Amino acid sequence: MENERLQATMAGRGIDARALANRVGVDVKTVERWVRGRVPRQRLAVCAAEVLEEDAVFLWPSLHRGRAARAVSPEVVAVYGQRAEVSPAMWRSFFEQAENNIDILVYAGNHLHESIPGFDGLLAAKAEQGCLIRIALGDPDSENVVAKGSEERFGHGIESRCRLALMHYQPLGRLDGVNVRTHGTTLYNSIYRADDELLVNAHVWGVNAFGAPVWHLRRSPGGDMVNSYRQSFDAVWERSSPVA
């Protein structure tokens, strides 16, 4: 079976088999075998992935790190131990790549405005280009938001952060293509969507979101993680209230 991910990535980067072979230091026939489905040794896979600016496990999902085999979903691009490890540049490029849909499900998510200069302008520009944007923020008066603050030992801090987030996003809600709502659901994960890619901040009891893991997912045939999280977003969205 041909490696469609490798083919698409090479085409997207403008790198053909010969160019990739030269930069990795292998014969062009070796790269052609990779395209036809051969899985390279880990060292070569990592080298090729660096040239292509992609994650090796995304290009070769069956590539296992370490001696013990582990199942890896074909939709997992990368896993970050903490949200703090995701750089501001990564957050910006993640949203900039969106062409059709941007979804944000958080309680506050103020780190986006704090770490990405002109984040509102970025979203406004995307909306002007025809991107549909949905933003669901925590209702600061809801029982679940108050409980979350207590669990994180922030007291009323999270409620203030929710109100600050609403101040950031409310003006955007006046733009065509941008919808801002508030919700009071139990937030098991913060979900950030850019078309078929997601950054999912998995929450941990008693830990602030910046210290919890993040999954970088990309929709792929044979995987259902992206669809599961998108359905979760839609379910919360249906229960949320429009912001005036």
Side-chain angles (χ1 to χ4, degrees):
M1 176 181 287
E2 292 192 349
N3 189 330
E4 296 180 353
R5 292 187 179 194
L6 179 58
Q7 286 180 304
T9 302
M10 290 170 61
R13 300 289 188 270
I15 298 176
D16 61 16
R18 185 170 299 280
L20 181 58
N22 289 338
R23 295 180 65 177
V24 176
V26 297
D27 188 271
V28 65
K29 292 183 179 180
T30 298
V31 174
E32 291 172 350
R33 285 194 288 270
W34 296 349
V35 171
R36 290 197 297 269
R38 178 77 63 86
V39 179
R41 288 175 292 175
Q42 181 174 332
R43 178 183 63 80
L44 293 176
V46 171
C47 183
E50 290 178 351
V51 172
L52 295 170
E53 299 179 4
E54 188 52 89
D55 187 88
V57 175
F58 173 76
L59 295 174
W60 293 281
S62 62
L63 185 68
H64 301 298
R65 296 174 179 174
R67 295 182 179 177
R70 294 182 292 157
V72 178
S73 167
E75 295 186 309
V76 176
V77 177
V79 178
Y80 299 88
Q82 299 182 1
R83 192 190 71 196
E85 296 175 9
V86 185
S87 69
M90 171 61 187
W91 283 107
R92 173 175 285 279
S93 64
F94 175 78
F95 288 111
E96 284 182 334
Q97 72 180 340
E99 296 181 354
N100 301 306
N101 298 93
I102 289 177
D103 291 336
I104 297 174
L105 170 62
V106 292
Y107 272 163
N110 290 312
H111 67 98
L112 296 174
H113 286 91
E114 293 167 353
S115 63
I116 305 175
F119 185 61
D120 276 357
L122 188 161
L123 294 182
K126 285 296 175 182
E128 187 175 353
Q129 294 165 12
C131 197
L132 178 62
I133 300 174
R134 298 184 296 176
I135 302 168
L137 306 172
D139 179 351
D141 297 318
S142 72
E143 293 181 0
N144 284 319
V145 168
V146 174
K148 178 69 171 176
S150 177
E151 292 163 2
E152 292 180 352
R153 299 175 180 82
F154 274 88
H156 296 289
I158 191 169
E159 298 155 62
S160 298
R161 299 201 305 276
C162 287
R163 292 189 171 90
L164 177 60
L166 188 58
M167 291 174 59
H168 283 307
Y169 288 111
Q170 194 165 12
L172 286 172
R174 305 187 185 102
L175 302 178
D176 291 338
V178 181
N179 293 283
V180 181
R181 297 185 179 184
T182 57
H183 68 96
T185 64
T186 302
L187 195 62
Y188 300 104
N189 303 277
S190 294
I191 300 174
Y192 307 87
R193 175 190 176 194
D195 292 340
D196 288 334
E197 294 197 29
L198 301 178
L199 289 173
V200 180
N201 193 181
H203 293 180
V204 178
W205 194 93
V207 177
N208 187 278
F210 70 77
V214 170
W215 301 82
H216 183 183
L217 308 177
R218 182 179 298 154
R219 189 175 183 183
S220 173
D224 56 12
M225 293 182 69
V226 169
N227 282 339
S228 294
Y229 284 115
R230 285 176 57 175
Q231 290 168 7
S232 177
F233 180 96
D234 290 340
V236 174
W237 188 255
E238 291 301 316
R239 292 167 174 76
S240 60
S241 303
V243 173

